[in-house]
Amino acid sequence: MKKTLVSALTAALVVGAASTTFAAANPFSDVPSDHWAYDAVTQLAKDGVIEGYGDTTFQGNKNITRYEMAQMVAKAMAKTNVSSSDKALIDKLAAEFSDELNSLGVRVSNLERNADMVKWNGELRADASHKEVKDSSGKKTKTNSYPLKLRLEPSAEVNSHWHVNARLDADTNMNTDGADNNGKDKVSLERAYAQGDYKDFTVKAGKIPMAIDNVLLYDDELSGASMTFGNKLKATVEAGRWDMSKGLSKNDAYNKATVQSAFKNDTTDMYGLGLQYTLGKASAGASYTYLKSDGFKSVGNYSDNKNEDKAGTWGVNGYYRFDKNAALGGMYAQNTKADSYEKAGSVEFDYKGAQQANAGTWGAFVGYRHLGQNVAFDPFYNDAEAGQKGWVVGANYAPFKNVVARVNYFDGKSLVNDKDASKVFGRVEFFF
């Protein structure tokens, strides 16, 4: 570890806490007054954080040991008038050099030791959409929506193999200044699960994100567990309980009153198996999911068998990346227990893509979607919705670092009446 780096780190810890300006005499003969680190080095020497060598030299280009660094951290820890940001950095360094500090007799608590093991990510997401849908008589209905979401995603390291992850969403709607028509906001725990990562094996348990058909069919969470095995050929098994009323509430093709009455408080057992094989630029997979609910008996146009209460869905997918910029992908699924609107598929060509960490990057896509509402219960897309088919185009752009803007356009028809349907969707995301 170079002393120049150590000086910069330690300066960040103690200079902000110093109440005097840099006016200390130069204690080191090998640090000239025009050196970039002169102010920091002289102030740190004045504060007693660094001492140099007995021959009046600092030897800033010489490698130092972790023990020497721990001595500097110990002196920084002894300071009391530090800012909260400096204290956070001190705690991180104390956790890194905890063993050396303990050998010096400086106590590092478990909280300090683990301070850098908890990470927070999040985003502020502002959406705007305009939908136009015609009913069977040709009457057009227009709907505007302006939802706002604050998302926090903490992750805590338990040990070298296990993490605990969570997702908290706070939702409001700028139409009504609240998440619902009564003007009330909503805060929800969307995910909370433990994840173990081993060689060619990952396990998740808790309230987990669905891992099988989570784009075309199920963009939701499952209270249960999943396991993924393999390297090039990956097998995923998941099982748990799914809140159908929550998922189907976003399926606009279903009558809302029917969903509220048929699936209210309906949490059903759900099972899934998925296989995915990746070789070079190509990837292909197959899946099967199964669930059971009495609510299907109350949904019109679900099955010719009025007593049918199951959904058994198989799916296939394929993806090919031509080069670093262009890729083509598609997926198809069918619910073998439903007799209408039981098929769903999507094909999409992607070019480039906005990268949140790189300002100025952009991307675009074009595709076609067919989303039968009795199989695509809760699709991921922001353009076409369940119960619709048609063409989609979109573009995304990162104007600044950690800021991404996107716009999607859908032009197609409703599956129920074959009448025109369209949607313009825009989103701006601020990542932190």
Side-chain angles (χ1 to χ4, degrees), residues 56-75:
T56 72
T57 62
F58 178 61
Q59 299 183 25
N61 291 323
K62 180 180 178 181
N63 288 338
I64 68 170
T65 66
R66 288 179 61 87
Y67 182 81
E68 291 174 319
M69 180 60 191
Q71 288 180 312
M72 297 183 189
V73 175
K75 292 174 182 178

Side-chain angles (χ1 to χ4, degrees), residues 120-187:
W120 286 83
N121 293 308
E123 65 174 296
L124 178 65
R125 175 190 296 177
D127 292 351
S129 65
H130 175 78
K131 296 191 295 184
E132 295 186 2
V133 179
K134 290 183 178 180
D135 61 19
S136 299
S137 65
K139 181 181 178 181
K140 182 183 294 185
T141 300
K142 300 180 181 180
T143 306
N144 295 321
S145 181
Y146 306 96
L148 184 68
K149 180 188 294 290
L150 174 65
R151 171 168 289 170
L152 299 175
E153 295 186 300
S155 175
E157 179 181 336
V158 177
N159 53 47
S160 59
H161 289 291
W162 285 86
H163 286 74
V164 173
N165 304 286
R167 172 181 286 181
L168 291 165
D169 283 357
D171 293 282
T172 188
N173 197 313
M174 290 181 283
N175 295 57
T176 59
D177 194 30
D180 57 29
N181 293 329
N182 297 319
K184 295 182 179 180
D185 297 326
K186 182 181 72 172
V187 178

Side-chain angles (χ1 to χ4, degrees), residues 281 319-328 349-355 361-365:
K281 297 179 180 181
Y319 183 86
Y320 185 79
R321 177 164 289 282
F322 298 97
D323 53 34
K324 66 178 182 179
N325 292 326
L328 178 67
F349 176 79
D350 298 309
Y351 184 74
K352 292 187 175 181
Q355 303 168 20
T361 56
W362 64 278
F365 74 89

Side-chain angles (χ1 to χ4, degrees), residues 141-275:
T141 300
K142 300 180 181 180
T143 306
N144 295 321
S145 181
Y146 306 96
L148 184 68
K149 180 188 294 290
L150 174 65
R151 171 168 289 170
L152 299 175
E153 295 186 300
S155 175
E157 179 181 336
V158 177
N159 53 47
S160 59
H161 289 291
W162 285 86
H163 286 74
V164 173
N165 304 286
R167 172 181 286 181
L168 291 165
D169 283 357
D171 293 282
T172 188
N173 197 313
M174 290 181 283
N175 295 57
T176 59
D177 194 30
D180 57 29
N181 293 329
N182 297 319
K184 295 182 179 180
D185 297 326
K186 182 181 72 172
V187 178
S188 58
L189 177 64
E190 295 295 311
R191 298 176 181 177
Y193 62 96
Q195 177 173 329
D197 296 301
Y198 296 85
K199 180 177 175 59
D200 298 334
F201 173 69
T202 296
V203 58
K204 299 178 183 178
K207 191 172 184 180
I208 62 175
M210 290 186 180
I212 300 173
D213 293 326
N214 58 354
V215 175
L216 185 64
L217 308 183
Y218 304 104
D219 178 30
D220 213 338
E221 283 74 35
L222 191 71
S223 294
S226 70
M227 293 179 288
T228 300
F229 311 83
N231 187 355
K232 291 183 178 180
L233 175 61
K234 290 183 178 293
T236 298
V237 180
E238 65 181 13
R241 302 277 288 171
W242 179 42
D243 183 356
M244 291 195 65
S245 60
K246 173 176 173 285
L248 293 178
S249 66
K250 294 176 284 184
N251 190 327
D252 284 348
Y254 276 19
N255 179 278
K256 299 302 181 186
T258 300
V259 171
Q260 292 173 1
S261 61
F263 297 98
K264 184 178 181 181
N265 300 321
D266 188 357
T267 304
T268 182
D269 291 333
M270 185 173 181
Y271 309 93
L273 171 65
L275 296 173

Side-chain angles (χ1 to χ4, degrees), residues 297-319:
K297 301 176 184 179
S298 303
V299 176
N301 298 321
Y302 181 76
S303 173
D304 295 336
N305 178 5
K306 301 303 180 182
N307 293 317
E308 183 61 73
D309 59 356
K310 304 177 186 66
T313 303
W314 61 268
V316 293
N317 68 79
Y319 183 86

